[in-house]
Amino acid sequence: MVEVTPSRSRPSGRRWREVVPVALRWGLPVLWVLWAGLAWWAEPRESTEAQLNRDLAGGRVVSAQRANGWADDGAYWASRPRSQYASNGGMLTWTLSNGQTRYTFDAPPAPGSYPGGPDPSTGSRQDALLAELTGRWQASNVLADRIGGAAGLLAGVLIVLWLGRLIGGAPPLVGTRWFWFWVGLLPFGVGVLAWSYRELWRPPSPPVLDRGSGWRGVGWLILAGVGISLLVSIARVVFGTTVVPG
C-alpha cells in the first residue's frame, strides 16, 4: 500500500493567518518611511526670486513654468500638488537637477510674453533662460516627476494593503471597520500608522467591549486633522519651508 504524503509546498490557511499580520506589521511602517522620504523630497518648497536667480546662474534649473496655483493641493494625503499652467500667472515654479521643486510669487509677465517668452536680445538674462526652460516642463521627464511617481506608487501600495486587511481581514480589536476607515484618512498617513500600532503592534489583551464607532472615527478625523494641520503650520514657521515644505 502506497502512502501519499501531503504536499507542504503551499501554506495552510492557518499559516497564512499567522504570516499576513507579521508581514503587515513590518511592511506598512517600512512602506510609510519610504513614501514619507520621497514625498518630503519632492514636495514643492516656497522660495524667493533671489534663489531662482542663484539656481539659474548655477545651472541647477531643469524646467520652469508659470502658474496660477496648484491643481490638487490637499486632495488627499498621498497626492502630490501639481501647478496649474497659466501664461500670465503670478507664480513661478521650477524643478532642480536634484529632483526638488521650488516656487515663488512675482508680478505676471507682460501680455503676449508667454509661452514664447520675451525676446532674449531685449529681455533680461533671467527672462531668456525661463523662456527656454518653460518649454521643457511638459516635454522632459525630470527627476522630480520620477520621484513623485515613485512616492505615489508606494502610497498606493500602502493604501491597498491597509484597506485589504481592514475590509477582508479579521474584525478590528479596538474600533469598528468604519472607525478605522475614517481615522485612516488623516493627513500624512498618520491614521494608517495608528491602525498598525493599535491593531498589529500593541493589540489590547482583554477584548474591548466599547469599540470605536464610525461616528467616533469621523470625530477623530476632524479633531486630529485640525491638530496635525496646526502642528505643521507652526513647524513651518519655526523651521522654514526647507525643512517643512508645502
Side-chain angles (χ1 to χ4, degrees), residues 31-53:
L31 285 174
W32 184 90
V33 170
L34 293 175
W35 163 81
L38 293 177
W40 174 83
W41 187 259
E43 182 73 10
R45 288 164 166 79
E46 186 173 1
S47 188
T48 62
E49 189 173 354
Q51 182 62 52
L52 172 60
N53 290 329

Side-chain angles (χ1 to χ4, degrees), residues 146-241:
R146 294 198 293 269
I147 294 177
L153 178 62
L154 289 174
V157 174
L158 180 66
I159 294 170
V160 168
L161 291 177
W162 164 64
L163 281 178
R165 180 69 169 85
L166 179 65
I167 297 174
L173 300 175
V174 177
T176 62
R177 300 184 197 272
W178 278 111
F179 171 84
W180 283 118
F181 172 78
W182 293 114
V183 172
L185 299 181
L186 283 171
F188 311 118
V190 173
V192 176
L193 290 180
W195 173 86
S196 177
Y197 178 79
R198 290 296 291 137
E199 295 290 338
L200 300 178
W201 282 95
R202 292 291 184 272
S205 298
V208 178
L209 300 179
D210 184 20
R211 296 191 302 164
S213 63
W215 288 111
R216 189 179 299 181
V218 173
W220 272 108
L221 174 62
I222 297 173
L223 293 177
V226 172
I228 293 173
S229 299
L230 289 176
L231 288 176
V232 171
S233 300
I234 295 173
R236 186 173 293 127
V237 172
V238 174
F239 299 105
T241 57

Side-chain angles (χ1 to χ4, degrees), residues 57-74:
R60 293 183 294 271
V61 181
V62 178
S63 62
Q65 177 176 268
R66 279 201 172 272
N68 61 358
W70 303 100
D72 53 357
D73 187 16

Side-chain angles (χ1 to χ4, degrees), residues 13-29 165 169-170 195-196 199-201 203:
R14 180 178 180 181
R15 185 179 177 185
W16 272 117
R17 287 192 294 269
E18 295 174 353
V19 170
V20 169
V22 175
L24 290 177
R25 184 186 306 165
W26 291 98
L28 292 181
R165 180 69 169 85
W195 173 86
S196 177
E199 295 290 338
L200 300 178
W201 282 95

